[in-house]
Amino acid sequence: MPINYEVINPNTDVATTKTLLHEVIPLTGTIVSGTYGTFPNDDNIKNYSHGMFQSVYDYPYLSSSANHIFDLTVGFDESSDLSGSANAAQETKKINMYNQFSQVLLGYTGSANRVRLFESDLTLNESNPMKEVVFVNLSRLLTKDQIKKGSVSIRIATGSWANSQDTDESKTFTDSSATENAGTLNTVGGDYGILSSSADGVGGVVFYQAGVMVLTSSIWAGTTDFYSSSVDGERSFDDQLVSGSISGSADAFRHRLQNLQFNNTTEINSTVYFCRASHNKFNYSNNPTYLSSSAIRVKNLNRDNAPVSYITTIGLYNSQNELLAVAKLSEPLRKDPTNELTLRVRLDY
């Protein structure tokens, strides 16, 4: 237990900082389709009995080594031209998925008191609605605190089903127009930016804090076989949304996903304490072995009058003198009446 304490002045001895760490996260199409098992029954793909979404892992999902990458689902708004033409049970699920994401990410309109439509711009005035969409819900394990703005790139095959990995028949969309202080719009679900291409226009939007990408059906506007199977034949994107299941649509999207890359962000908040030892303080140790036969052990010569100590540890105490944190120095620092020390202690959280 210390005998003397040095009071920390919160106005001069305490500072707060924030550090942003980024990692590059590359996801290739081979991971989500074809690596583990035979498409569409890949061992790293998990479908559920409720049929509302599909989960993708980086390894067979029954393995303890598997990490969740993202969830896939599709949906359309009830005002879509597809509404009323699909299987009733499947249509309800797809409309519910659209409404759920819209409610969480965009909220409600002020006048009609209904969920907003996703849009291919930053206005939220329903001038450029995206009524039929694919949702890519990225795992928090990958996005951390948020996706870094301006770092997203996704390449999607738009040609024939057989040439799904042909980069010449694909479209690449990025959020290059988004920066930390421009090119985004803040909503109830956080900031979002536009995914676009100079050659192919807008492909969707990305919500940075939520880690959700919303891709519009217009990406596959000219694709007649968005989905193809020996059982059901070929289907366009709209046909698949009308006739197919959500899991089947997720399979078709996985088959066409060639590459997805972004930088995640980890926010580290820190409090820095400047612990000051003036020339006339902390020159003696509390260690009972500091003295031997009334002589200070660490003095070079017994005839030296000045006390000497070596600082190895800093303790942070509350107002009741209860120890809250301990910091160890990398090496002992000599302290005597001829010098002063200021030690910087940082607590990260």
Side-chain angles (χ1 to χ4, degrees):
M1 179 65 65
I3 300 174
N4 298 313
Y5 298 89
E6 184 70 15
V7 178
I8 293 179
N9 188 328
N11 296 320
T12 60
D13 300 335
V14 181
T16 58
T17 63
K18 181 173 71 173
T19 305
L20 300 179
L21 303 179
H22 304 291
E23 296 175 302
V24 179
I25 307 297
L27 300 173
T28 61
T30 55
I31 293 179
V32 302
S33 177
T35 296
Y36 303 104
T38 304
F39 177 87
N41 301 314
D42 311 67
D43 293 336
N44 64 320
I45 306 302
K46 186 175 183 179
N47 291 299
Y48 302 88
S49 58
H50 54 65
M52 300 291 281
F53 61 88
Q54 179 183 91
S55 295
V56 180
Y57 293 79
D58 65 348
Y59 200 67
Y61 67 85
L62 292 177
S63 170
S64 60
S65 302
N67 295 303
H68 181 213
I69 299 177
F70 54 71
D71 295 321
L72 294 174
T73 188
V74 296
F76 54 81
D77 185 67
E78 56 188 356
S79 63
S80 167
D81 293 337
L82 305 182
S83 180
S85 58
N87 174 278
Q90 283 293 317
E91 178 174 317
T92 300
K93 290 182 180 180
K94 294 167 186 175
I95 291 177
N96 286 344
M97 293 309 300
Y98 188 100
N99 288 342
Q100 177 178 329
F101 276 95
S102 178
Q103 177 183 353
V104 172
L105 298 174
L106 299 179
Y108 294 86
T109 60
S111 56
N113 195 29
R114 59 174 176 80
V115 294
R116 296 183 181 275
L117 297 176
F118 290 101
E119 299 182 25
S120 58
D121 55 30
L122 300 175
T123 62
L124 288 186
N125 59 5
E126 300 191 0
S127 59
N128 294 292
M130 298 188 299
K131 296 184 178 182
E132 303 88 21
V133 296
V134 174
F135 296 103
V136 183
N137 189 5
L138 294 162
S139 166
R140 183 63 65 181
L141 176 69
L142 299 184
T143 62
K144 303 298 184 181
D145 291 327
Q146 65 175 317
I147 297 172
K148 182 182 179 182
K149 297 172 183 176
S151 70
V152 181
S153 175
I154 183 170
R155 187 172 72 240
I156 305 170
T158 57
S160 65
W161 178 266
N163 296 328
S164 62
Q165 297 305 311
D166 188 350
T167 57
D168 293 332
E169 292 188 276
S170 64
K171 297 178 181 178
T172 300
F173 301 97
T174 69
D175 68 333
S176 57
S177 61
T179 64
E180 290 301 325
N181 52 17
T184 63
L185 184 69
N186 182 261
T187 67
V188 295
D191 298 333
Y192 82 87
I194 304 298
L195 294 171
S196 62
S197 164
S198 58
D200 303 305
V202 176
V205 296
V206 53
F207 290 82
Y208 298 101
Q209 286 80 25
V212 176
M213 302 176 68
V214 185
L215 305 175
T216 177
S217 62
S218 61
I219 295 175
W220 301 279
T223 306
T224 58
D225 56 342
F226 172 78
Y227 182 82
S228 180
S229 71
S230 58
V231 177
D232 300 318
E234 297 181 350
R235 295 175 180 171
S236 66
F237 185 91
D238 287 352
D239 292 338
Q240 175 62 25
L241 251 64
V242 170
S243 305
S245 65
I246 290 179
S247 296
S249 300
D251 288 336
F253 175 79
R254 285 193 298 109
H255 182 73
R256 293 180 171 278
L257 179 61
Q258 295 182 349
N259 189 67
L260 170 60
Q261 180 171 307
F262 61 90
N263 292 1
N264 65 21
T265 301
T266 301
E267 182 176 308
I268 299 178
N269 294 286
S270 305
T271 300
V272 179
Y273 298 91
F274 295 94
C275 302
R276 311 182 194 278
S278 59
H279 73 95
N280 60 342
K281 293 183 178 180
F282 305 106
N283 297 317
Y284 290 88
S285 172
N286 293 325
N287 194 320
T289 64
Y290 181 62
L291 298 177
S292 176
S293 300
S294 301
I296 300 175
R297 288 179 178 271
V298 295
K299 288 171 59 175
N300 293 328
L301 298 174
N302 288 334
R303 63 176 179 269
D304 292 341
N305 294 322
V308 178
S309 66
Y310 286 85
I311 298 177
T312 62
T313 306
I314 298 175
L316 298 179
Y317 294 78
N318 62 13
S319 57
Q320 283 75 43
N321 293 338
E322 297 171 332
L323 182 62
L324 302 180
V326 175
K328 291 289 187 178
L329 277 64
S330 58
E331 62 181 28
L333 295 179
R334 180 187 172 97
K335 180 69 179 69
D336 59 50
T338 65
N339 66 351
E340 292 187 346
L341 298 176
T342 298
L343 300 175
R344 184 174 178 269
V345 179
R346 190 179 77 178
L347 296 180
D348 295 334
Y349 50 93

